[in-house]
Amino acid sequence: MYNISRIQIDYGKVKDPRKRVREMPRATQILRKSRKVVEDLNLLKVLQSEISHELSSNSFQDESIGSLGDFVLDWNSSRSQDVVLRRKSESGEEVAVSALLSQKTYDTEGIFPRKLLMKVCVKRPGLSSILQFDCGVSEKGVCRSDFKIRSAYFLQSTTVPGSSIYRGPLFSSFEPQLQDALKEYLVARGIREDLTNFLLLTLHKKEQGQYLDWLQKLESFVMKDERLFSAAAG
C-alpha cells in the first residue's frame, strides 16, 4: 500500500514553480546592473586616461606669441567660444573684433590645428552705418599668421540685417588692387600679425581649457553614478 502521508511530505518539499518565475526578473536586473557597472568603470578609465593626456601634453599653455596692441579684451567668458576686442582712437573711430575657432581641423607644420573666423567692425564718428569685414585667420608656419577678407559690407548700427539685405558684391570679384587696399585699411587699424597670433593662441588655449573642464565634469558624473550602483549592489 502507498504511504499517503509520505507522498504528502514529499510533495511539500517540491519548490513552488511560481516562486522561481518571480525570482528570474530579479536575477536579470542584477545582471543588468553588474553589466552597467562594468561599462561605467570602463568609461571612467578612458576618461581618466584622456584627462591625464590633456594635462601632460599642455599643448598651448607654454606658448607666448602675439599681443593685443591698442585693443582691450572686452569679452572672454569661459562659457562661450568667442572673444571680443575693442579699440577707440583719439578721432573717435571705434573698431570691434570678434573671433572664434572654426569647426574644421587642418594638418599644419605649426602648432595650431584650427583656423579662426574673425569679424571686424569699424564705426566712424557721426555715421550711423558700420563697415563690417568677415575674415579668416590661419597659421603660416611657426609663430606666423595671416588673415584674408572674405566679405565686406555696410550695416546700420540700429538694425539687424535680414537675409534679403544687399551686402555688396563678392569680395573675390573685386579687383586685386581694391582687395589689397581694403586689407591695408584693416592693417592700419591694428589688424596685424601680432593681433592674429594673439587670437590664435588665446582661442586654442580657451578651447583646450573648456575641453578639459568638460572631461572632468563627465568624470565626476560617472563616478557618482558608479557609487550609486555600488551601493545598490552592496
Side-chain angles (χ1 to χ4, degrees):
M1 293 182 62
Y2 290 106
N3 188 332
I4 297 177
S5 61
R6 179 59 182 267
I7 292 175
Q8 290 174 338
I9 293 173
D10 290 343
Y11 180 79
K13 290 181 179 180
V14 177
K15 291 186 177 180
D16 187 350
R18 290 172 298 179
K19 183 179 180 182
R20 187 178 302 171
V21 170
R22 287 195 299 269
E23 289 176 348
M24 289 197 59
R26 183 182 177 189
T28 302
Q29 187 177 10
I30 292 173
L31 286 173
R32 286 177 179 172
K33 285 184 177 180
S34 299
R35 191 184 305 117
K36 199 169 189 341
V37 169
V38 171
E39 291 170 353
D40 287 352
L41 287 173
N42 181 59
L43 173 58
L44 187 59
K45 290 177 181 178
V46 173
L47 283 171
Q48 290 171 340
S49 175
E50 182 69 9
I51 290 170
S52 297
H53 171 72
E54 287 296 317
L55 289 172
S56 62
S57 63
N58 209 17
S59 303
F60 312 110
Q61 301 307 316
D62 296 331
E63 298 293 335
S64 179
I65 59 172
S67 67
L68 279 168
D70 295 331
F71 285 88
V72 295
L73 189 58
D74 187 62
W75 170 265
N76 186 18
S77 170
S78 61
R79 298 174 65 87
S80 69
Q81 298 181 56
D82 64 335
V83 297
V84 177
L85 315 177
R86 294 188 184 277
R87 165 189 166 178
K88 187 172 183 178
S89 65
E90 293 181 357
S91 66
E93 182 182 78
E94 297 177 55
V95 181
V97 177
S98 65
L100 74 164
L101 292 177
S102 67
Q103 295 300 314
K104 294 182 179 180
T105 57
Y106 300 86
D107 293 329
T108 174
E109 296 179 357
I111 59 176
F112 302 118
R114 293 164 71 178
K115 297 181 180 181
L116 302 187
L117 304 177
M118 179 176 71
K119 292 183 181 294
V120 182
C121 296
V122 182
K123 187 177 188 307
R124 302 296 302 274
L127 297 178
S128 61
S129 59
I130 295 173
L131 179 56
Q132 177 169 312
F133 297 85
D134 293 342
C135 309
V137 178
S138 58
E139 189 177 25
K140 301 295 182 183
V142 179
C143 298
R144 301 294 306 273
S145 63
D146 194 13
F147 73 93
K148 290 183 178 181
I149 301 174
R150 295 175 177 170
S151 60
Y153 47 91
F154 286 101
L155 297 174
Q156 292 299 317
S157 60
T158 57
T159 61
V160 178
S163 58
S164 62
I165 297 296
Y166 177 69
R167 294 171 177 258
L170 292 174
F171 189 81
S172 58
S173 69
F174 293 171
E175 291 293 328
Q177 295 87 346
L178 179 55
Q179 293 186 32
D180 293 341
L182 284 169
K183 183 170 183 178
E184 287 302 318
Y185 179 85
L186 291 183
V187 170
R189 282 153 181 78
I191 313 301
R192 304 187 182 96
E193 187 175 52
D194 277 350
L195 185 70
T196 54
N197 281 345
F198 172 85
L199 288 171
L200 277 168
L201 178 59
T202 298
L203 286 166
H204 276 86
K205 278 185 176 181
K206 182 184 179 79
E207 195 275 338
Q208 185 182 41
Q210 290 174 328
Y211 177 55
L212 180 59
D213 181 62
W214 180 85
L215 286 173
Q216 290 171 334
K217 286 180 179 177
L218 183 56
E219 177 195 28
S220 176
F221 180 87
V222 173
M223 285 182 69
K224 289 180 180 179
D225 202 30
E226 187 271 328
R227 285 170 188 163
L228 288 174
F229 281 121
S230 297

mmCIF file of all heavy atoms in Angstrom, residues 66-91:
data_model
loop_
_atom_site.group_PDB
_atom_site.id
_atom_site.type_symbol
_atom_site.label_atom_id
_atom_site.label_comp_id
_atom_site.label_asym_id
_atom_site.label_seq_id
_atom_site.Cartn_x
_atom_site.Cartn_y
_atom_site.Cartn_z
ATOM 1 N N GLY A 66 52.300 86.934 -29.925
ATOM 2 C CA GLY A 66 51.299 87.919 -30.249
ATOM 3 C C GLY A 66 51.039 88.904 -29.124
ATOM 4 O O GLY A 66 51.527 88.750 -28.004
ATOM 5 N N SER A 67 50.265 89.922 -29.434
ATOM 6 C CA SER A 67 49.908 90.928 -28.441
ATOM 7 C C SER A 67 48.606 91.612 -28.860
ATOM 8 O O SER A 67 48.204 91.564 -30.023
ATOM 9 C CB SER A 67 51.016 91.968 -28.288
ATOM 10 O OG SER A 67 51.135 92.741 -29.475
ATOM 11 N N LEU A 68 47.970 92.273 -27.901
ATOM 12 C CA LEU A 68 46.719 92.987 -28.162
ATOM 13 C C LEU A 68 46.944 94.314 -28.880
ATOM 14 O O LEU A 68 46.017 94.844 -29.492
ATOM 15 C CB LEU A 68 46.003 93.249 -26.841
ATOM 16 C CG LEU A 68 45.178 92.099 -26.253
ATOM 17 C CD1 LEU A 68 44.778 92.430 -24.820
ATOM 18 C CD2 LEU A 68 43.954 91.819 -27.094
ATOM 19 N N GLY A 69 48.139 94.842 -28.793
ATOM 20 C CA GLY A 69 48.378 96.155 -29.369
ATOM 21 C C GLY A 69 47.553 97.204 -28.647
ATOM 22 O O GLY A 69 47.562 97.282 -27.408
ATOM 23 N N ASP A 70 46.801 98.003 -29.389
ATOM 24 C CA ASP A 70 45.966 99.048 -28.791
ATOM 25 C C ASP A 70 44.569 98.555 -28.419
ATOM 26 O O ASP A 70 43.737 99.343 -27.954
ATOM 27 C CB ASP A 70 45.832 100.227 -29.762
ATOM 28 C CG ASP A 70 47.161 100.928 -30.013
ATOM 29 O OD1 ASP A 70 48.014 100.909 -29.101
ATOM 30 O OD2 ASP A 70 47.348 101.473 -31.113
ATOM 31 N N PHE A 71 44.312 97.290 -28.639
ATOM 32 C CA PHE A 71 42.993 96.734 -28.311
ATOM 33 C C PHE A 71 42.924 96.354 -26.832
ATOM 34 O O PHE A 71 43.944 96.114 -26.172
ATOM 35 C CB PHE A 71 42.702 95.500 -29.161
ATOM 36 C CG PHE A 71 42.348 95.801 -30.590
ATOM 37 C CD1 PHE A 71 43.342 95.919 -31.551
ATOM 38 C CD2 PHE A 71 41.028 95.976 -30.977
ATOM 39 C CE1 PHE A 71 43.030 96.208 -32.867
ATOM 40 C CE2 PHE A 71 40.697 96.263 -32.287
ATOM 41 C CZ PHE A 71 41.705 96.386 -33.244
ATOM 42 N N VAL A 72 41.707 96.287 -26.330
ATOM 43 C CA VAL A 72 41.464 95.769 -24.985
ATOM 44 C C VAL A 72 40.537 94.561 -25.119
ATOM 45 O O VAL A 72 39.682 94.510 -26.015
ATOM 46 C CB VAL A 72 40.831 96.822 -24.048
ATOM 47 C CG1 VAL A 72 41.793 97.959 -23.808
ATOM 48 C CG2 VAL A 72 39.511 97.334 -24.623
ATOM 49 N N LEU A 73 40.719 93.593 -24.234
ATOM 50 C CA LEU A 73 39.880 92.396 -24.240
ATOM 51 C C LEU A 73 38.554 92.738 -23.568
ATOM 52 O O LEU A 73 38.494 92.958 -22.356
ATOM 53 C CB LEU A 73 40.596 91.260 -23.499
ATOM 54 C CG LEU A 73 39.977 89.873 -23.575
ATOM 55 C CD1 LEU A 73 39.856 89.400 -25.014
ATOM 56 C CD2 LEU A 73 40.809 88.877 -22.761
ATOM 57 N N ASP A 74 37.504 92.778 -24.359
ATOM 58 C CA ASP A 74 36.189 93.215 -23.869
ATOM 59 C C ASP A 74 35.328 92.045 -23.406
ATOM 60 O O ASP A 74 34.468 92.204 -22.538
ATOM 61 C CB ASP A 74 35.478 93.990 -24.980
ATOM 62 C CG ASP A 74 34.179 94.619 -24.521
ATOM 63 O OD1 ASP A 74 34.229 95.481 -23.619
ATOM 64 O OD2 ASP A 74 33.108 94.257 -25.055
ATOM 65 N N TRP A 75 35.528 90.862 -23.976
ATOM 66 C CA TRP A 75 34.689 89.697 -23.642
ATOM 67 C C TRP A 75 35.492 88.425 -23.820
ATOM 68 O O TRP A 75 36.089 88.196 -24.870
ATOM 69 C CB TRP A 75 33.449 89.675 -24.538
ATOM 70 C CG TRP A 75 32.637 88.413 -24.464
ATOM 71 C CD1 TRP A 75 32.712 87.324 -25.292
ATOM 72 C CD2 TRP A 75 31.628 88.094 -23.497
ATOM 73 N NE1 TRP A 75 31.815 86.360 -24.904
ATOM 74 C CE2 TRP A 75 31.132 86.801 -23.797
ATOM 75 C CE3 TRP A 75 31.104 88.779 -22.405
ATOM 76 C CZ2 TRP A 75 30.134 86.184 -23.053
ATOM 77 C CZ3 TRP A 75 30.100 88.164 -21.658
ATOM 78 C CH2 TRP A 75 29.626 86.897 -21.978
ATOM 79 N N ASN A 76 35.522 87.598 -22.777
ATOM 80 C CA ASN A 76 36.188 86.297 -22.861
ATOM 81 C C ASN A 76 35.621 85.378 -21.785
ATOM 82 O O ASN A 76 36.302 85.005 -20.834
ATOM 83 C CB ASN A 76 37.700 86.441 -22.696
ATOM 84 C CG ASN A 76 38.437 85.137 -22.929
ATOM 85 O OD1 ASN A 76 37.897 84.202 -23.521
ATOM 86 N ND2 ASN A 76 39.676 85.048 -22.461
ATOM 87 N N SER A 77 34.358 85.028 -21.938
ATOM 88 C CA SER A 77 33.687 84.186 -20.943
ATOM 89 C C SER A 77 34.117 82.734 -21.101
ATOM 90 O O SER A 77 34.277 82.235 -22.225
ATOM 91 C CB SER A 77 32.168 84.297 -21.109
ATOM 92 O OG SER A 77 31.506 83.337 -20.316
ATOM 93 N N SER A 78 34.273 82.047 -19.980
ATOM 94 C CA SER A 78 34.626 80.625 -20.009
ATOM 95 C C SER A 78 33.486 79.764 -20.551
ATOM 96 O O SER A 78 33.689 78.604 -20.886
ATOM 97 C CB SER A 78 35.001 80.152 -18.598
ATOM 98 O OG SER A 78 33.903 80.312 -17.708
ATOM 99 N N ARG A 79 32.290 80.326 -20.645
ATOM 100 C CA ARG A 79 31.124 79.584 -21.115
ATOM 101 C C ARG A 79 30.860 79.781 -22.609
ATOM 102 O O ARG A 79 29.994 79.119 -23.175
ATOM 103 C CB ARG A 79 29.888 79.999 -20.319
ATOM 104 C CG ARG A 79 29.990 79.704 -18.829
ATOM 105 C CD ARG A 79 28.793 80.290 -18.080
ATOM 106 N NE ARG A 79 27.562 79.642 -18.482
ATOM 107 C CZ ARG A 79 27.085 78.529 -17.943
ATOM 108 N NH1 ARG A 79 27.757 77.937 -16.973
ATOM 109 N NH2 ARG A 79 25.945 78.009 -18.354
ATOM 110 N N SER A 80 31.587 80.702 -23.233
ATOM 111 C CA SER A 80 31.369 80.973 -24.655
ATOM 112 C C SER A 80 32.595 80.550 -25.462
ATOM 113 O O SER A 80 33.678 80.355 -24.924
ATOM 114 C CB SER A 80 31.086 82.456 -24.885
ATOM 115 O OG SER A 80 32.255 83.217 -24.649
ATOM 116 N N GLN A 81 32.416 80.457 -26.780
ATOM 117 C CA GLN A 81 33.504 80.044 -27.657
ATOM 118 C C GLN A 81 34.291 81.224 -28.218
ATOM 119 O O GLN A 81 35.382 81.037 -28.747
ATOM 120 C CB GLN A 81 32.947 79.234 -28.838
ATOM 121 C CG GLN A 81 32.238 77.950 -28.429
ATOM 122 C CD GLN A 81 31.729 77.190 -29.628
ATOM 123 O OE1 GLN A 81 32.481 76.855 -30.537
ATOM 124 N NE2 GLN A 81 30.438 76.922 -29.663
ATOM 125 N N ASP A 82 33.749 82.430 -28.130
ATOM 126 C CA ASP A 82 34.364 83.572 -28.793
ATOM 127 C C ASP A 82 35.040 84.522 -27.817
ATOM 128 O O ASP A 82 34.887 84.421 -26.601
ATOM 129 C CB ASP A 82 33.312 84.323 -29.603
ATOM 130 C CG ASP A 82 32.225 84.926 -28.709
ATOM 131 O OD1 ASP A 82 32.021 84.399 -27.593
ATOM 132 O OD2 ASP A 82 31.595 85.918 -29.113
ATOM 133 N N VAL A 83 35.797 85.455 -28.392
ATOM 134 C CA VAL A 83 36.349 86.585 -27.647
ATOM 135 C C VAL A 83 36.019 87.846 -28.433
ATOM 136 O O VAL A 83 35.818 87.812 -29.645
ATOM 137 C CB VAL A 83 37.877 86.485 -27.436
ATOM 138 C CG1 VAL A 83 38.230 85.278 -26.595
ATOM 139 C CG2 VAL A 83 38.610 86.439 -28.779
ATOM 140 N N VAL A 84 35.941 88.984 -27.736
ATOM 141 C CA VAL A 84 35.659 90.267 -28.362
ATOM 142 C C VAL A 84 36.699 91.281 -27.903
ATOM 143 O O VAL A 84 36.972 91.403 -26.701
ATOM 144 C CB VAL A 84 34.239 90.774 -28.016
ATOM 145 C CG1 VAL A 84 33.998 92.153 -28.635
ATOM 146 C CG2 VAL A 84 33.182 89.783 -28.500
ATOM 147 N N LEU A 85 37.283 91.979 -28.855
ATOM 148 C CA LEU A 85 38.259 93.032 -28.580
ATOM 149 C C LEU A 85 37.691 94.368 -29.055
ATOM 150 O O LEU A 85 36.932 94.414 -30.022
ATOM 151 C CB LEU A 85 39.576 92.764 -29.305
ATOM 152 C CG LEU A 85 40.148 91.338 -29.263
ATOM 153 C CD1 LEU A 85 41.423 91.267 -30.101
ATOM 154 C CD2 LEU A 85 40.427 90.903 -27.834
ATOM 155 N N ARG A 86 38.110 95.448 -28.391
ATOM 156 C CA ARG A 86 37.660 96.776 -28.807
ATOM 157 C C ARG A 86 38.821 97.759 -28.767
ATOM 158 O O ARG A 86 39.747 97.623 -27.970
ATOM 159 C CB ARG A 86 36.516 97.278 -27.920
ATOM 160 C CG ARG A 86 35.244 96.462 -28.051
ATOM 161 C CD ARG A 86 34.073 97.108 -27.305
ATOM 162 N NE ARG A 86 32.894 96.269 -27.349
ATOM 163 C CZ ARG A 86 32.036 96.225 -28.356
ATOM 164 N NH1 ARG A 86 32.227 97.022 -29.418
ATOM 165 N NH2 ARG A 86 30.985 95.428 -28.323
ATOM 166 N N ARG A 87 38.697 98.744 -29.624
ATOM 167 C CA ARG A 87 39.701 99.810 -29.685
ATOM 168 C C ARG A 87 39.009 101.101 -30.096
ATOM 169 O O ARG A 87 38.171 101.104 -31.001
ATOM 170 C CB ARG A 87 40.785 99.449 -30.694
ATOM 171 C CG ARG A 87 41.685 100.597 -31.110
ATOM 172 C CD ARG A 87 42.577 100.220 -32.267
ATOM 173 N NE ARG A 87 43.182 101.396 -32.868
ATOM 174 C CZ ARG A 87 44.034 101.352 -33.874
ATOM 175 N NH1 ARG A 87 44.374 100.200 -34.406
ATOM 176 N NH2 ARG A 87 44.542 102.470 -34.367
ATOM 177 N N LYS A 88 39.365 102.209 -29.424
ATOM 178 C CA LYS A 88 38.813 103.509 -29.790
ATOM 179 C C LYS A 88 39.965 104.491 -29.939
ATOM 180 O O LYS A 88 40.774 104.661 -29.024
ATOM 181 C CB LYS A 88 37.825 103.998 -28.730
ATOM 182 C CG LYS A 88 37.079 105.259 -29.132
ATOM 183 C CD LYS A 88 35.966 105.588 -28.141
ATOM 184 C CE LYS A 88 35.176 106.818 -28.619
ATOM 185 N NZ LYS A 88 34.051 107.135 -27.699
ATOM 186 N N SER A 89 40.038 105.110 -31.094
ATOM 187 C CA SER A 89 41.134 106.034 -31.378
ATOM 188 C C SER A 89 40.797 107.434 -30.888
ATOM 189 O O SER A 89 39.655 107.725 -30.499
ATOM 190 C CB SER A 89 41.428 106.057 -32.873
ATOM 191 O OG SER A 89 40.311 106.588 -33.580
ATOM 192 N N GLU A 90 41.766 108.317 -30.916
ATOM 193 C CA GLU A 90 41.565 109.691 -30.471
ATOM 194 C C GLU A 90 40.546 110.419 -31.344
ATOM 195 O O GLU A 90 39.866 111.345 -30.894
ATOM 196 C CB GLU A 90 42.903 110.443 -30.489
ATOM 197 C CG GLU A 90 43.896 109.928 -29.457
ATOM 198 C CD GLU A 90 45.193 110.702 -29.489
ATOM 199 O OE1 GLU A 90 45.324 111.603 -30.357
ATOM 200 O OE2 GLU A 90 46.074 110.425 -28.650
ATOM 201 N N SER A 91 40.439 110.010 -32.590
ATOM 202 C CA SER A 91 39.473 110.638 -33.508
ATOM 203 C C SER A 91 38.040 110.215 -33.214
ATOM 204 O O SER A 91 37.097 110.790 -33.766
ATOM 205 C CB SER A 91 39.817 110.286 -34.951
ATOM 206 O OG SER A 91 39.633 108.891 -35.179
#
